[in-house]
Amino acid sequence: QVKQTGLLSPDRILNVGHRGASGHAPEHTIPAYELAQKMKADYIELDLQMTKDGHLICMHDETLDRTTNGTGYVKNHTLAEIKRLDAGSWFNEAYPQYAKPEYKGLKVPTLEEVLDHFGHGANYYIETKSPETYPGMEEKLLEALKRHHLIGPNAKPGQVIIQSFSPDSLKKVHQMDPSIPLVQLLWYEQPVQITEQELREIHTYAIGVGPNFNKIDRAYVQKVRQHGLLIHPYTVNEKADMKRLIDWGVTGMFTNFPDRLHGVLKER
Ligand code: G3P
Ligand code: CA
């Protein structure tokens, strides 16, 4: 039921700004998303967590510790508490070569704020993180997307992609709205091949897979493509890796440096 045209065409190589242009600016902040767009990312990638009072926020970790000056689990804090935190200074300390004074004091954005800010002017590649910890996350996500007219019969194909490591979370979304394109994330510790059975199963609800890039090879990519699935490996930051994956036939990739990927794609 998903129309594989435009952004979702298998002939495209999508540039996905991983947590925004998170190599250059503090991940999951509005400036990081804006920078990703400026650097020609096709998508801004959002990871979702849920606050104690049920708000979806954009944050990678389940805890506040790494990317804010707070501590503890997101699920144990209200949005008001999280809004008091500084989500930018850690980046200046960790990456002095990319530090900027204006990153100090940046706020953790809610999903709602990001959708308000960018509206139809961005494409969103949204991950349901830890869905087993956050019952109702998928319903809240779809409600927000509907409110902003980003899904539904009149939406642009591919304006929103939903991704998850959890097949259950993706299947739930698929049941609620089979027109939303879904990508099954995969994590491998060892070099692997994907089986025919796995591919068939994934194809029942998703249009593509997103494996970690460093344990796959050309045969893996080709097998996925032969099944009619898209493949968007993560997280690819070096030009040599980008070029190799493109040569193998990937249909996009997640990168903290969308400017680098744009450069590689332009040189082809
Ligand atoms: O969503 C693709 C990639 O971001 C998955 O890994 O841990 O960075 O969310 P993670
Ligand atoms: Ca992610």
Side-chain angles (χ1 to χ4, degrees), residues 18-19 45 47 60 127 129 163 165 185 234-235 254:
H18 185 242
R19 315 181 192 176
E45 194 235 1
D47 293 311
H60 177 271
E127 180 176 352
K129 279 268 179 228
Q163 47 160 342
F165 286 101
L185 296 176
Y234 64 89
T235 302
F254 295 83

Side-chain angles (χ1 to χ4, degrees), residues 39-198:
M39 293 179 165
K40 310 282 186 209
D42 296 300
Y43 283 86
I44 53 176
E45 194 235 1
L46 313 180
D47 293 311
L48 297 182
Q49 305 282 342
M50 204 196 293
T51 65
K52 189 176 171 181
D53 48 345
H55 294 274
L56 294 179
I57 60 165
C58 299
M59 185 172 288
H60 177 271
D61 298 2
E62 279 187 60
T63 57
L64 302 163
D65 302 53
R66 183 177 60 86
T67 59
T68 74
N69 58 345
T71 56
Y73 284 94
V74 171
K75 66 176 183 199
N76 293 337
H77 291 81
T78 62
L79 180 59
E81 286 165 350
I82 291 172
K83 279 292 183 187
R84 287 199 280 273
L85 302 176
D86 174 344
S89 292
W90 72 274
F91 179 88
N92 286 351
E93 284 155 31
Y95 303 102
Q97 69 276 35
Y98 293 112
K100 288 198 176 153
E102 60 265 33
Y103 294 160
K104 190 171 169 233
L106 286 174
K107 301 285 176 231
V108 174
T110 62
L111 171 66
E112 201 66 31
E113 286 165 349
V114 173
L115 301 181
D116 278 342
H117 186 87
F118 293 97
H120 284 85
N123 303 309
Y124 307 90
Y125 205 129
I126 307 177
E127 180 176 352
T128 55
K129 279 268 179 228
S130 316
E132 57 295 334
T133 308
Y134 304 120
M137 173 179 244
E138 293 84 1
E139 286 85 350
K140 281 179 196 275
L141 168 59
L142 266 56
E143 280 162 23
L145 293 170
K146 257 185 225 153
R147 259 199 312 280
H148 288 82
H149 308 287
L150 292 164
I151 55 172
N154 300 319
K156 178 176 84 176
Q159 177 130 46
V160 173
I161 296 175
I162 297 179
Q163 47 160 342
S164 189
F165 286 101
S166 162
D168 288 347
S169 184
L170 292 180
K171 287 176 188 173
K172 195 168 171 188
V173 172
H174 189 67
Q175 270 200 339
M176 289 190 282
D177 186 343
S179 74
I180 300 175
L182 306 178
V183 167
Q184 177 65 60
L185 296 176
L186 300 162
W187 163 254
Y188 302 116
E189 284 189 15
Q190 302 292 331
V192 279
Q193 286 306 317
I194 194 159
T195 67
E196 298 285 329
Q197 199 186 341
E198 283 173 295

Side-chain angles (χ1 to χ4, degrees), residues 245-264:
L245 289 160
I246 291 167
D247 179 53
W248 289 351
V250 302
T251 53
M253 65 191 87
F254 295 83
T255 179
N256 298 343
F257 295 94
D259 49 338
R260 287 185 198 164
L261 179 54
H262 184 65
V264 166

